[in-house]
Amino acid sequence: MLEKLEKLWSDVRWVILGDQARLNETSKQPSANRRRIMIFSLSASTLIWFLLSLSEYQYLSVEYPTCASKADIITPSCVIGLDADSALTHRLPETIQATLYGPGISLIIQRFRARYSRNPITINYETGTLDTQLLLRIPERVTIESIVPERINFQKEKRMERKVPIESRVTQISRPPYFFIGDLQLEPDSILISGPESMIRLIKSWPTELDTLVGVNDTVYHQVDLSDSLRGLVSLSQKRTTLTGISPQYTEGQKQQVKVEIIGIPNAQSIVQLEPESVTITYQVPLSKFSEALQEKRIRALVSYSQIFADTTGRIQPTVEFPSDLMLRQVTISPNRLRYFINIGSQ
């Protein structure tokens, strides 16, 4: 590093003094004293250049955080003059963006103040409209070229509290051999919300964030955050809720030689002939209900006469009917399409 500095110093001297810069040079390495002088000169030059640059006027974009950026609800500590029984009907800006023009040193101070200050900008609620540039307290030697937003409009209403149910926006995904049954249980299933009266009266439920719950055990627990779409206007008594999903382990079951029933017309079996007359029904059933499903006679294969009457292809697809308490999943029929013949003389 020192060799590079020495070469740089030598080149600078040669540009200024020409050949005279080489007159007193010897083949020996420069002394320690000469090196110190060279380093001091370069450091002093850099410092002088830096100080001169700081005195020059420049432009700088600065983003000032307000107290609304760290608050879930606007309180009197953020908006001075707002009483505890009132609530704002419009959000306050979380940041104020300004383009400043002034001496470099002043702009550095403003950047440091905006980024590292522990006390975000508080707001005085005195009139219905406030010019945001009054909140920044910019020194006179710095001018504000542009600012967003330019004004803050204040409107307040009476604060209201109300208890509403939580609406789940969590998608259930079954992963065989586990299948979800029933609806998700939420704990808590309702929350207390607080905010401006006109807004609170319109809220019928409060949604969770979009999320996914995968069934990998008999019982699945999952915490999900509540939506913060009205953050700064409406406060919540809870930030999240716990979901409980029941997903018992399933296994495959099968009923063979199930005779297909024709419904929708008396004496259907003498009027319509199906080919084949019987099918095999395959399904997924909870382990605890496997034996019950095998013995259950209410698992039926059905074809409606209206379905036959409207068909133009000569083949129809039967459906399966079964008790809901069996909680069957992935029910299939084989074969899935049947031929039929109508006995005209029997009609």
Side-chain angles (χ1 to χ4, degrees), residues 59-67 69 92-101 110-111 113-115 121 123 131-138 142-152:
Y59 290 94
L60 180 67
S61 295
V62 183
E63 192 173 83
Y64 296 88
T66 70
C67 55
S69 63
L92 293 178
E94 295 188 0
T95 60
I96 299 174
Q97 299 179 355
T99 300
L100 307 179
Y101 178 73
Q110 291 301 313
R111 171 64 65 84
R113 172 195 167 199
R115 181 170 297 182
I121 295 173
I123 300 169
D131 289 336
T132 51
Q133 63 179 349
L134 300 178
L135 299 174
L136 301 185
R137 299 177 182 177
I138 302 297
V142 177
T143 58
I144 300 176
E145 297 295 316
S146 65
I147 188 168
V148 178
E150 295 182 356
R151 295 177 180 82
I152 300 176

